[in-house]
Amino acid sequence: MTNKKSPIEDRIAGLYRQQKAPVPESIWQNIEISLNAKQKKRRRSIWLFISMMTLFMILGTLAVLPLLRKTHKADIADRDSAFEYRHDKIANDASEITDTSSQSTEQAIASSRRISMPETILKTDGTTSLIRNQRSSAKPVESNMTVKVTSQSNERNTTPSDKIAAVDESATRYPISAFDGGVHIERSVPQQIPGQLTLMEGRDIYPTWIGPNREMMSLPWQNQHEKNAGIIRQHRLRPFIGLSAGIGLPFRKMVNHSVESELYIGRQGTEHPLYLTNIQADAGLLLDDSWSIKSGIEWQQAVEQFSYKKFDATRLEYKTDDITGRIDDTSLVRGLLTEQFGNKYTMLNIPLYLGYEKRFGRWVFGIDGGVGFNIHFRTSGKVLVDDQKIQSLDNRHDIYASSTGISWRVGASCLRSIAPGTMVYARLMCMAYPDSWTLSTHPNEIRYRFLTANVGLRKVF
Amino acid sequence: MNEHIIIQNCLRNDRKSQKMLYELYYQLMMAVCLRYCKDEYMAQEALQNGFIRVFSGLHTYDSNKPFGPWIRKIMINCCLDQLSRKSVMANLDDIMPTESTTIHDPEFEITDAGLTRLIESMPIGYRTVFSMYVIDEMSHLEIAEALQISEATSRSQLFKARNYLKAALTNKRKLFL
């Protein structure tokens, strides 16, 4: 659509549209300097972000590393639950350990193959001991192994020879080179009672050459050092899901690009932030019941009150004929005009949080921080477009941007266990949107910050 | 090179392409800036800020629409910002036409140059609204938004600008008679 113009105005327009003017060279140099400065600033922000993330990861690793090295009896207790032990009474031990020539003693002849056993079982007086080959061993043991197996009073029909055979059979599954001088110090065995038959399950508890889910003999440790060999703490990584809802207080900051204008003052006077509602569904992973990472989907709606009053407004009033429906009379009415509306800013975000929590009995306290990525932003309501004119936001797409950008979040939460793996929680969170919600071409920049309080439910599996 | 390709390269912060885009438009845009700004120095400042704003906000440009009007609009906004910063357009309604020497200039003719001088002699308030409406084809709603005035003020300013132009032309014709 073109504006109505007289011929002379058309001539002026044609004259000016193609008009060119000389520009000094220095302009481009100044532009280049400004662009370089902006780029540097952006790069600095990116590096700052990367450095912060790296620092965060290093600190996280440093916090986790001591836990990895830590060995304590509690680990053994933890492991006990994972394995199945069948112990006979200790009182029977003495009678069970008989001379080596008795029935309960069997000689297991190792295969004629050259087998380098990581652990060699030697016969001693009335007991059995275990000697570990060290890497420094000149020759691998190639031998007939004599194994004393304690007699068992359990109901299982497994004979000691079966067990030895099991060892041997299993050993053939792996290349010999894998065992040459191998030391399985790290694969520690939980505390056992000497001379007991133990059924063990689990990958970490027996040398790999025995194979999983096989019965093995329990043998007394050769020395205290081996007995106290370290056990790697088993980390527990558990998934969880959560659902929360809450309300929040919005804090709005509006600035004008240049000087304060009537529009800016008008908008400041007519728009009042009221509250924020949010619902979040998330899923994540919990490491050792302390560190957590979670993400999900978050719906947020900020509500503002739009209130406009004009004292000397005029309105045209119509009077219609009840029968014909035609306008009978018109009159101008002067008075107070009030426009009130609830402006809504609806957002869909994908948040990503990293958190740490600590348990105190049934209570858990945690802190977390993260970033939210906006994937949808919609505005509805009314807005003042000049000092007097009000328009619907639905018809104006030149004010608000299509996305709110990223948002930074930091929160503190308090959780209480209500059932195994299920917790209710309350959470306080600060959220800041660093980018303006308005378009860069719009004279007003609007930024929001929120303080929210949420309640939710978390299920850990 | 195709303007679209240059813009795509500019989006990747390619400095050479940015210079190419600048060279494509700088003379035209300088003319726009000169039309809105009070003096050449102010126009140069507006042009510089305008191009920085163009390169920074290029991602908001809709490639389905022509680039010319978009860059022109940004330049106009920059000029208006510049003017409002210097309080030149503090109150459009208060600016009344002053007696212009150009109208009574014996050298004045209704040629292209004469018309240009006539437009330049207009008070800044009239000239701004007149330029936006007649030359840059902006509607009263757009003018009102850009200048942060009411639509009615925009209409009245244009009416006054047209009267001013008519009076100046009539005056000139009389001089010739």
Side-chain angles (χ1 to χ4, degrees):
Chain A
M1 196 183 79
T2 52
N3 295 331
K4 276 185 183 176
K5 283 177 277 187
S6 64
I8 190 84
E9 285 173 348
D10 272 333
R11 196 178 146 198
I12 293 167
L15 183 71
Y16 271 99
R17 261 183 222 141
Q18 298 309 317
Q19 199 183 40
K20 289 183 177 179
V23 180
E25 190 66 29
S26 61
I27 300 279
W28 171 248
Q29 286 164 4
N30 291 342
I31 292 169
E32 209 171 8
I33 290 165
S34 300
L35 289 173
N36 286 340
K38 271 195 173 186
Q39 210 167 347
K40 261 187 192 172
K41 200 178 167 186
R42 199 182 302 133
R43 269 190 210 147
R44 209 177 299 143
S45 319
I46 292 166
W47 277 113
L48 189 71
F49 177 75
I50 292 168
S51 322
M52 290 292 285
M53 289 303 287
T54 314
L55 187 73
F56 200 60
M57 282 169 76
I58 291 167
L59 286 175
T61 313
L62 286 175
V64 170
L65 211 59
L67 299 174
L68 285 166
R69 289 177 177 164
K70 205 173 175 183
T71 304
H72 50 76
K73 286 178 182 176
D75 293 321
I76 299 164
D78 282 345
R79 279 165 182 264
D80 282 348
S81 61
F83 305 111
E84 189 185 329
Y85 293 100
R86 288 188 292 129
H87 297 296
D88 288 334
K89 287 179 183 177
I90 301 169
N92 295 333
D93 268 8
S95 61
E96 285 168 2
I97 303 166
T98 55
D99 64 326
T100 54
S101 60
S102 70
Q103 269 193 337
S104 61
T105 304
E106 285 186 32
Q107 285 201 339
I109 300 168
S111 66
S112 56
R113 289 191 301 263
R114 183 187 168 89
I115 301 171
S116 171
M117 304 296 286
E119 293 176 350
T120 308
I121 303 158
L122 296 178
K123 187 174 77 173
T124 58
D125 288 341
T127 183
T128 328
S129 64
L130 194 87
I131 296 172
R132 297 182 175 212
N133 288 341
Q134 297 301 320
R135 225 169 250 287
S136 57
S137 303
K139 286 181 182 177
V141 178
E142 181 185 16
S143 64
N144 297 335
M145 288 195 303
T146 305
V147 178
K148 175 182 175 294
V149 180
T150 59
S151 63
Q152 295 293 313
S153 60
N154 58 37
E155 62 283 357
R156 290 180 73 96
N157 296 324
T158 320
T159 61
S161 58
D162 289 339
K163 292 167 192 106
I164 298 301
V167 169
D168 196 7
E169 179 194 314
S170 187
T172 58
R173 291 185 184 182
Y174 301 92
I176 290 165
S177 59
F179 304 122
D180 193 13
V183 179
H184 289 268
I185 297 296
E186 74 280 7
R187 297 198 182 272
S188 304
V189 179
Q191 278 187 320
Q192 298 168 54
I193 300 156
Q196 299 298 312
L197 188 66
T198 306
L199 178 69
M200 296 176 176
E201 288 176 356
R203 287 174 54 189
D204 288 338
I205 206 69
Y206 43 76
T208 49
W209 49 270
I210 291 179
N213 302 323
R214 291 185 184 277
E215 281 189 343
M216 64 177 284
M217 289 176 301
S218 74
L219 299 166
W221 295 99
Q222 190 190 18
N223 56 44
Q224 193 64 26
H225 170 74
E226 286 177 358
K227 186 178 177 180
N228 293 335
I231 293 173
I232 295 172
R233 186 190 171 104
Q234 190 184 11
H235 286 284
R236 283 204 300 179
L237 198 62
R238 299 196 292 168
F240 67 87
I241 53 166
L243 186 71
S244 69
I247 53 166
L249 276 175
F251 300 94
R252 188 174 87 153
K253 193 182 177 190
M254 186 195 272
V255 287
N256 212 37
H257 276 320
S258 48
V259 288
E260 285 197 358
S261 65
E262 281 183 17
L263 176 68
Y264 167 75
I265 295 162
R267 285 194 69 180
Q268 285 281 57
T270 53
E271 293 168 23
H272 306 285
L274 290 179
Y275 59 89
L276 172 98
T277 49
N278 70 71
I279 299 169
Q280 183 178 315
D282 51 58
L285 291 168
L286 192 62
L287 177 71
D288 289 340
D289 289 338
S290 54
W291 291 95
S292 67
I293 184 163
K294 70 175 178 182
S295 184
I297 187 95
E298 178 191 64
W299 174 89
Q300 287 185 331
Q301 191 173 67
V303 178
E304 280 181 357
Q305 189 188 36
F306 175 81
S307 174
Y308 176 77
K309 279 181 185 174
K310 193 179 177 191
F311 290 97
D312 55 347
T314 44
R315 191 178 73 232
L316 200 61
E317 261 194 3
Y318 301 95
K319 280 182 184 170
T320 50
D321 193 318
D322 292 338
I323 302 159
T324 60
R326 286 182 181 173
I327 296 167
D328 249 6
D329 190 20
T330 56
S331 57
L332 276 173
V333 180
R334 189 176 285 273
L336 174 70
L337 169 76
T338 309
E339 282 261 19
Q340 280 198 330
F341 205 83
N343 288 358
K344 286 173 184 165
Y345 306 95
T346 313
M347 291 159 274
L348 267 183
N349 295 325
I350 295 180
L352 181 68
Y353 295 102
L354 200 62
Y356 178 79
E357 60 189 47
K358 199 161 173 62
R359 180 181 278 270
F360 298 95
R362 292 183 74 174
W363 292 91
V364 176
F365 296 94
I367 50 165
D368 56 50
V371 61
F373 302 95
N374 183 260
I375 51 169
H376 174 76
F377 180 53
R378 192 172 171 272
T379 55
S380 67
K382 289 187 176 179
V383 68
L384 205 63
V385 288
D386 62 37
D387 54 343
Q388 291 186 0
K389 195 168 181 180
I390 298 160
Q391 275 197 351
S392 168
L393 275 171
D394 300 331
N395 305 327
R396 297 293 301 250
H397 303 290
D398 57 337
I399 298 175
Y400 285 96
S402 57
S403 167
T404 57
I406 60 163
S407 52
W408 299 108
R409 295 119 188 273
V410 60
S413 49
C414 172
L415 301 91
R416 192 176 194 279
S417 178
I418 51 166
T422 310
M423 287 182 148
V424 286
Y425 68 89
R427 183 159 180 259
L428 270 177
M429 185 173 71
C430 289
M431 202 170 6
Y433 285 85
D435 297 330
S436 173
W437 285 10
T438 53
L439 288 166
S440 58
T441 47
H442 194 262
N444 305 139
E445 281 183 9
I446 301 172
R447 287 183 178 81
Y448 283 85
R449 265 172 283 178
F450 298 101
L451 181 67
T452 64
N454 281 41
V455 286
L457 201 67
R458 189 174 85 174
K459 174 80 184 162
V460 184
F461 300 99
Chain B
M1 199 192 283
N2 185 345
E3 192 179 89
H4 181 72
I5 297 166
I6 296 175
I7 292 166
Q8 289 300 314
N9 289 340
C10 288
L11 281 168
R12 286 192 285 271
N13 272 330
D14 178 35
R15 200 63 83 233
K16 275 184 187 170
S17 302
Q18 284 174 339
K19 193 173 184 187
M20 282 168 87
L21 193 70
Y22 168 79
E23 280 167 353
L24 267 177
Y25 283 98
Y26 75 108
Q27 286 181 328
L28 279 169
M29 293 306 122
M30 185 64 190
V32 171
C33 292
L34 277 171
R35 208 165 65 226
Y36 285 97
C37 293
K38 208 177 165 188
D39 52 47
E40 202 178 329
Y41 176 74
M42 201 190 267
Q44 283 175 8
E45 211 176 322
L47 182 82
Q48 188 180 309
N49 291 340
F51 269 104
I52 292 166
R53 211 182 271 188
V54 164
F55 293 129
S56 309
L58 206 58
H59 60 278
T60 60
Y61 161 65
D62 181 0
S63 56
N64 297 323
K65 291 174 184 169
F67 186 69
W70 185 78
I71 190 170
R72 186 184 287 260
K73 200 170 180 182
I74 288 179
M75 288 297 163
I76 293 169
N77 281 335
C78 273
C79 293
L80 297 175
D81 277 357
Q82 204 78 3
L83 289 170
S84 59
R85 208 173 293 152
K86 309 248 167 165
S87 304
V88 176
M89 295 186 54
N91 200 339
L92 273 174
D93 287 324
D94 292 346
I95 299 167
M96 296 303 288
T98 50
E99 283 299 312
S100 172
T101 51
T102 321
I103 299 166
H104 303 292
D105 188 347
E107 295 298 313
F108 184 83
E109 287 176 358
I110 314 170
T111 57
D112 286 354
L115 271 175
T116 310
R117 287 173 67 188
L118 186 60
I119 300 298
E120 279 169 7
S121 72
M122 273 186 179
I124 189 103
Y126 292 0
R127 195 172 72 195
T128 306
V129 177
F130 185 82
S131 288
M132 289 170 106
Y133 187 86
V134 175
I135 304 162
D136 295 315
E137 296 275 354
M138 289 168 80
S139 67
H140 282 295
L141 181 68
E142 287 171 316
I143 296 168
E145 273 169 25
L147 297 175
Q148 295 173 11
I149 54 171
S150 66
E151 257 186 271
T153 309
S154 167
R155 282 179 205 281
S156 77
Q157 286 291 314
L158 181 71
F159 178 74
K160 285 173 188 172
R162 277 174 168 165
N163 278 349
Y164 177 87
L165 191 67
K166 200 190 273 178
L169 288 169
T170 315
N171 202 356
K172 189 69 220 163
R173 211 166 284 135
K174 274 179 191 170
L175 279 173
F176 272 98
L177 288 169

